[in-house]
Amino acid sequence: MEKITLPEKDNSVLKAPAQAVALADFRAFYSASPNAFEAKAPHLPCQDKVAIVVVDALRATTSWVAIGATGPRGILIKIKSKEGAGLPAPFAPDGEWVRAGELHGRPINGGVMGNSPTEVRSGMFGSRWVRFESTNGARAVELATTIDNAEVYIGCFQNIGSVVDAAIKDGCGSLVVVAGGFYGSATIEDNVCAGRFFKEWIARTGISRQDLDDEARIALATADAFPDNRELLATLKGAQVARLLREVGRESDVDAIITGIGVDPQIWDRMHSTVLRYSTHEGLGVFVPVNQMEVA
């Protein structure tokens, strides 16, 4: 997709679009779905380097962080394809690639796993590249990675502190969270996860709640409404994504993304410090574990 260059702050109401004027002085932003972000992105102020965190907690980004915790070379995230298992390797030999992902909640043909962190095993990926196909989360990634002057990360409930630390270390002065949502609509789990990111950002940077745009404040309020994970889990099990997962026999993934139940304990522990940052390799965008990127 074509790159979006964020506009410089413009104090002239006559010159700037209404959206740009309304957003100009905020320091943290949220979009509850890819559609919402696509509408907001051209009007985000470019006051400083931006940290963009993609969250699709149930289940894509949690699965990606779990994969990242096993130490692959990197993860290529693509919107689901119709070609099946015979896709050519975009770079490097075919034997250096592992395919994974889901289509409407079910594993893709030819994948070593679907879209659940409980399916990730140490040694499943080795030091190979992973091509992961997804629906909502991949669309959020596609849009987030079109923004200039931004570092893009993958976020889930387990790695909030580490991602915020990395973004600050990378010199980011403002935060944007983009949710995968559910086919264009908001979800409770993404709002709570995003809200916890904003709470951590406030604690680490010293900005106030008044520095959050309206959607970010809604996410923060949603997170405040669920300080206890037990209540959050009870609510999520009756929400829309869980209803879909129940139909495909994956309702247990609701527990997995919050508590780690069913996830390999060593992988769950490593997820806490796993940061996936967007980079380019041979002209193609991939998410690479930060520790590997720093060694390279």
Side-chain angles (χ1 to χ4, degrees):
M1 293 184 67
E2 189 173 331
K3 281 280 187 180
I4 297 175
T5 300
L6 302 183
E8 295 291 342
K9 182 178 177 181
D10 189 342
N11 292 319
S12 169
V13 175
L14 295 177
K15 292 182 179 180
Q19 301 97 313
V21 173
L23 295 173
D25 294 320
F26 294 121
R27 302 299 300 276
F29 309 84
Y30 178 51
S31 294
S33 71
N35 292 350
F37 181 68
E38 189 169 26
K40 182 183 290 186
H43 309 293
L44 293 173
C46 185
Q47 297 171 322
D48 43 37
K49 192 176 184 180
V50 180
I52 303 181
V53 180
V54 176
V55 169
D56 187 9
L58 190 58
R59 304 165 288 172
T61 58
T62 308
S63 295
W64 300 339
V65 173
I67 292 170
T70 69
R73 295 276 302 279
I75 306 172
L76 173 67
I77 296 168
K78 303 293 289 183
I79 295 175
K80 57 183 175 59
S81 67
K82 299 177 181 179
E83 288 87 350
L87 292 172
F91 57 79
D94 286 334
E96 294 183 22
W97 285 88
V98 180
R99 194 156 178 252
E102 58 83 24
L103 173 60
H104 304 312
R106 293 180 170 85
I108 60 169
N109 292 330
V112 299
M113 60 170 283
N115 186 15
S116 170
T118 65
E119 298 177 86
V120 179
R121 295 287 180 269
S122 295
M124 179 179 281
F125 305 100
S127 59
R128 293 179 290 178
W129 297 96
V130 182
R131 179 183 177 123
F132 196 104
E133 295 180 27
S134 172
T135 310
N136 304 296
R139 174 62 176 156
V141 165
E142 180 183 62
L143 292 169
T145 54
T146 65
I147 303 298
D148 279 328
N149 194 32
E151 297 285 0
V152 184
Y153 310 89
I154 300 299
C156 67
F157 283 99
Q158 185 69 342
N159 72 344
I160 293 171
S162 295
V163 170
V164 168
D165 280 344
I168 293 172
K169 182 179 178 182
D170 288 339
C172 299
S174 57
L175 173 66
V176 177
V177 180
V178 184
F182 187 70
Y183 297 98
S185 64
T187 66
I188 295 171
E189 63 274 6
D190 284 351
N191 272 26
V192 173
C193 189
R196 292 183 183 182
F197 265 100
F198 292 123
K199 187 172 293 189
E200 192 73 14
W201 190 259
I202 289 170
R204 303 288 181 94
T205 66
I207 68 169
S208 75
R209 294 186 177 217
Q210 299 304 310
D211 293 313
L212 277 59
D213 79 342
D214 287 18
E215 282 189 280
R217 293 188 204 187
I218 291 169
L220 190 57
T222 308
D224 286 343
F226 293 99
D228 188 301
N229 279 340
R230 290 172 298 179
E231 184 179 355
L232 175 59
L233 276 171
T235 299
L236 292 183
K237 287 180 179 180
Q240 57 196 32
V241 178
R243 292 170 186 246
L244 170 63
L245 294 177
R246 191 177 303 126
E247 289 297 313
V248 296
R250 299 298 321 189
E251 187 181 12
S252 61
D253 285 339
V254 181
D255 290 277
I257 66 141
I258 302 294
T259 67
I261 291 175
V263 181
D264 181 297
Q266 289 185 332
I267 291 174
W268 182 251
D269 184 61
R270 290 198 296 269
M271 287 171 65
H272 178 78
S273 58
T274 298
V275 176
L276 295 171
R277 186 198 294 138
Y278 185 74
S279 182
T280 56
H281 184 86
E282 297 191 16
L284 199 63
V286 292
F287 284 90
V288 178
V290 166
N291 59 340
Q292 291 193 24
M293 188 178 291
E294 291 173 346
V295 168

